[in-house]
Amino acid sequence: MTEETRGLVLLTGVSGFIGLHCAKEMLEQGYKVRGSVRSKEKEDEVLATLNAASVNTAHLSFVRLDLTSDSGWAQAAEDCDFIMHVASPFTIANPKTEDEMIAPAVQGSLRALKAGKDAGVKRVVLTSSILSMMGSMKTGTFGPEDWTDTQSKAINTYTKSKTLAERAAWEFMASQSDKNEMELVVVNPGAVFGPSLGKNMTGQTMTLFKQMLQGKIPLVPNFAFPMVDVRDVAKLHVEALTNTEANGKRIIAATAEPHSFIEIAKILKNEGYKGPSTRKAPDFLLRLTSIFDREAKGMLGMLGMNLHSNNTETRTLFNWTPRTMKESVLDTAKSIKATES
């Protein structure tokens, strides 16, 4: 296999914040990418975004997939060397019913794995989250061996969905017994920041950041956990496709130290941004707001959280040094401001 054709990758969720960066990284490294979208409009948006970022899209094609439907998965995985399953519903707010978020997360992971298995794919790289490790913790250090307690009343539905989806993936792999066993690597990002490709700011993290810049968050919630730049997340995803030592591992893509939204606000204020507030919201206020606000309710379990990650294995396996929080925060702000001009 030449450097120009490193293999064909089915990338689910190509139009998302992380998905676009993964597509860019793979295309620039010589992979062919088959991206899944829900509509022709999204397909056009992805092409326009990558072309505007000076990415050669000659080796990019598209398929239509739905996480909750079997339709198209077999055809989408056909002839693929790898699958990168990034697509998953994400919102801090708890949905009206848990199944709205949990069903597509779990079913989507299993559909990607089954399609890969049936198509003879070499390896699946699955996007999970550090929330599947640390969601039911408040303080201390978590690592790849830790799992969130999905029975905990402190976790929100998104955390539960990511944990259940990842567990389902590992259980699927454990059930495989043939000699030509497909491989699985799971990447567990922290809270993801960094510059957006294109003008789509609908992702939960970018929306929150944008609201901070606009001064729409007068009081900042009291919690801190490891974070990561989206460019680092994409790089680790792509390296996980072929790193032989990564097989069967949970890869923490996050800083070792926790970062708070107050820290983010201070970085922005020091660089002259007027909108961000550095005032900490009293815990009781968030609890009161959560009675009638589903997004506030989704944050309750994070109150007082101050967690470190053990990312030693990631640093060693991939010779990785995370971007600094300051670089990531300022590049995020510049990216958001650029879309407003």
Side-chain angles (χ1 to χ4, degrees):
M1 192 178 289
T2 66
E3 184 65 18
E4 287 74 30
T5 55
R6 299 188 64 184
L8 174 60
V9 185
L10 171 60
L11 170 60
T12 69
V14 65
S15 64
F17 181 39
I18 295 175
L20 281 166
H21 278 274
C22 287
K24 178 178 183 291
E25 187 76 20
M26 284 191 284
L27 290 167
E28 290 178 344
Q29 288 195 29
Y31 287 94
K32 294 180 179 179
V33 177
R34 183 181 288 166
S36 81
V37 290
R38 296 281 297 274
S39 66
K40 180 65 167 65
E41 183 183 24
K42 283 293 182 184
E43 181 179 322
D44 294 341
E45 182 183 295
V46 170
L47 277 172
T49 298
L50 292 174
N51 286 327
S54 301
V55 178
N56 184 343
T57 56
H59 288 153
L60 174 64
S61 59
F62 296 95
V63 288
R64 303 277 193 279
L65 290 177
D66 188 320
L67 297 178
T68 60
S69 169
D70 288 332
S71 178
W73 283 90
Q75 294 85 350
E78 190 174 358
D79 298 325
C80 287
D81 300 282
F82 309 98
I83 292 178
M84 189 178 289
H85 182 54
V86 179
S88 187
F90 175 31
T91 175
I92 293 173
N94 288 331
K96 291 180 180 178
T97 62
E98 283 191 340
D99 214 39
E100 287 178 38
M101 193 180 294
I102 292 174
V106 173
Q107 292 173 18
S109 293
L110 292 176
R111 285 188 170 93
L113 288 164
K114 185 178 186 305
K117 183 69 176 176
D118 292 345
V121 163
K122 300 171 188 175
R123 178 179 285 187
V124 174
V125 175
L126 175 79
T127 310
S128 184
S129 169
I130 59 170
L131 291 172
S132 69
M133 300 176 180
M134 52 68 109
S136 47
M137 297 171 64
K138 284 287 188 182
T139 58
T141 302
F142 64 88
E145 71 285 351
D146 292 311
W147 281 95
T148 290
D149 177 10
T150 56
Q151 300 301 312
S152 170
K153 293 183 178 179
I155 65 172
N156 61 20
T157 306
Y158 176 68
T159 299
K160 191 173 182 178
S161 76
K162 295 304 287 185
T163 308
L164 291 173
E166 188 188 340
R167 279 205 177 276
W170 288 118
E171 288 166 6
F172 177 92
M173 294 302 296
S175 71
Q176 308 305 303
S177 58
D178 59 299
K179 292 180 181 178
N180 297 320
E181 205 168 279
M182 181 179 67
E183 297 177 345
L184 174 65
V185 181
V186 174
V187 180
N188 301 74
V192 184
F193 293 100
S196 176
L197 290 176
K199 296 185 177 182
N200 187 342
M201 296 289 169
T202 56
Q204 189 74 50
T205 305
M206 297 300 279
T207 299
L208 184 63
F209 205 107
K210 188 174 183 178
Q211 289 174 338
M212 287 181 68
L213 284 173
Q214 293 173 339
K216 293 180 179 179
I217 302 180
L219 298 172
V220 185
N222 174 31
F223 48 76
F225 43 80
M227 299 184 182
V228 66
D229 190 284
V230 67
R231 293 163 291 188
D232 285 351
V233 175
K235 183 177 175 62
L236 289 171
H237 271 76
V238 178
E239 290 187 10
L241 291 171
T242 56
N243 185 312
T244 54
E245 294 181 28
N247 178 35
K249 294 187 182 296
R250 306 171 78 198
I251 306 300
I252 292 179
T255 55
E257 66 281 359
H259 295 283
S260 67
F261 283 97
I262 290 177
E263 179 185 348
I264 291 171
K266 286 179 178 177
I267 290 172
L268 292 169
K269 296 283 271 190
N270 288 341
E271 292 294 318
Y273 289 94
K274 306 298 184 185
S277 169
T278 56
R279 296 175 60 199
K280 186 187 296 184
D283 289 358
F284 81 85
L285 186 61
L286 193 65
R287 290 191 179 96
L288 182 65
T289 306
S290 71
I291 296 171
F292 52 86
D293 186 296
R294 285 191 290 130
E295 188 161 305
K297 188 174 183 179
M299 292 184 186
L300 282 183
M302 300 178 187
L303 285 178
M305 189 177 278
N306 193 348
L307 287 163
H308 292 71
S309 81
N310 180 1
N311 65 6
T312 304
E313 189 170 49
T314 308
R315 286 173 172 269
T316 303
L317 276 179
F318 299 97
N319 191 26
W320 178 59
T321 301
R323 278 178 169 80
T324 66
M325 196 60 202
K326 182 177 181 180
E327 178 187 355
S328 185
V329 166
L330 295 181
D331 284 353
T332 305
K334 288 175 187 174
S335 171
I336 290 172
K337 287 297 183 182
T339 67
E340 296 174 343
S341 58

